[in-house]
Amino acid sequence: MRGRSVRIKQANDPSLRSWVASANYADNDFPIQNLPFGIFSTAAQPAPRAGVAIGDQIVDLSILESAGLLTPSTQRVFNRPSLNDFIALGKVAWHSMREQISQLLRDDESRLRDDAALRADALVPMRRAVMHLPVKIGGYTDFYSSKEHATNVGSMFRDPSNALLPNWVHLPVGYNGRASSVVISGTDIRRPMGQVKPPDIDSPVYSPCAKLDFELETAFIVGADTALGEPVAVDRAESMIFGMVLLNDWSARDLQQWEYVPLGPFNAKTFATSISPWVVTLDALAPFRVSGPVQQPQPLPYLRHSGAHSIDITLSVELQPPADAEATTICRTNYRAMYWSMAQQLAHHTVSGCNVCVGDLMASGTISGSTPDSFGSLLELAWNGQRPLRLSDGKTQRSFLEDGDQVIMRGWCQGDGYRIGFGEVRGRVLPALRQGI
């Protein structure tokens, strides 16, 4: 229309509303501004395929792709058991697909809303779905990027006045974990067996872990392959990150204390890592970008960047004892305090020429704040058992996790009248299999 401009609402517009009513509730993790991707199946259709969360529903992307309402590629990518093939299409395709899905779900868009048959096929209630790992994970790396956490651990086990090792403020410390034991939220976790050395004996013993712990983390999913020998520049790194999940890096502290010198954790970490099922894209998180902590000393040039490279993500941990209907929130913290950014982590990971692949998982490391109620592990919350944590019933105490305990982690970014949520990552501790004792 001549003389008038029409503002086209983009997918992050806070005024957007969906015809899926539950998506418009202020406390729902999955409003139309979010649209995270995941892999799900149902009893009626057991083949895993791609979906997007909207309110309390899942949009079956394979149905919309088959109907011609979504065109991510010349070949179908949403009828597959992982998001890898879709992610491999690249950042332009991720952005375009999110905008297309947003358009279909808006309250003034009738194509899907008014097609009763298609809507019945394409919308699946979350309560009827089984969630699967969203990506095929070829490699898993865990960083150690919270200055507060590293300081707490260094103070606990080394010299409090020199808690950080000299390299910590110069590079994002990390180690390569075990991709095969990454599991989806809701998977029970078996207490590990292994070698431990109590301080009052001379030789190690083989026993169940007695100091089982969680670590509150996030993780990002790599969105592009690189060639062997090709480092990723820090300014390019974020364009190669598809999105983020919540992550619980289960930890056997007594196994770790005995084995980690000189090469770091091994069996203390490899037995299980849990992630949330929905991948929240960096596009959805863009309105919540903030600057991270000031880095002193200034890092080397290949790690140097400026601007808003952190994200304001509120995080919490709940602990639910066995046969107890009430969970206790034992930690509240925020991702924005992380010292090393995702871009710096990816740049450092590849600076040697290490190649990365679509679907690789890179975890933040334990996220701890500056106050005791913001520590992201029981190791810190109970200070290695010296200060047992009292739960909400006033009687139950925990220094480390006991059999039957459930750990529930949640995360969200708070907008004006809506929030971009990650859902939850949940796991219950099962007793050890005492083989060989």
Side-chain angles (χ1 to χ4, degrees), residues 27-96:
D27 61 350
N28 188 281
D29 272 358
F30 307 121
I32 194 170
Q33 292 85 359
N34 192 347
L35 305 179
F37 291 82
I39 295 293
F40 76 103
S41 64
T42 58
Q45 294 180 298
R49 67 264 192 203
V52 152
I54 180 74
D56 60 3
Q57 304 288 308
I58 299 173
V59 181
D60 188 332
L61 299 182
S62 71
I63 295 291
L64 299 188
E65 185 179 44
S66 180
L69 292 180
L70 298 177
T71 54
S73 172
T74 55
Q75 295 182 335
R76 294 187 64 184
V77 293
F78 290 140
N79 61 345
R80 302 178 189 181
S82 78
L83 294 170
N84 291 51
D85 289 336
F86 166 59
I87 295 173
L89 297 176
K91 188 174 180 63
V92 172
W94 312 338
H95 180 80
S96 171

Side-chain angles (χ1 to χ4, degrees), residues 359-370:
D360 282 357
L361 187 71
M362 298 199 182
S364 61
T366 305
I367 302 170
S368 293
S370 58

Side-chain angles (χ1 to χ4, degrees), residues 17-20 32 35 54 59-61 64-65 68-71 97-114 118 122-123:
R17 293 295 179 266
S18 174
W19 50 262
V20 179
I32 194 170
L35 305 179
I54 180 74
V59 181
D60 188 332
L61 299 182
L64 299 188
E65 185 179 44
L69 292 180
L70 298 177
T71 54
M97 199 48 40
R98 184 166 172 268
E99 292 288 342
Q100 290 182 48
I101 296 166
S102 174
Q103 188 63 48
L104 286 171
L105 294 172
R106 297 178 190 187
D107 58 3
D108 58 355
E109 173 58 55
S110 62
R111 283 179 294 167
L112 180 56
R113 181 193 67 195
D114 295 349
L118 181 59
L123 254 63

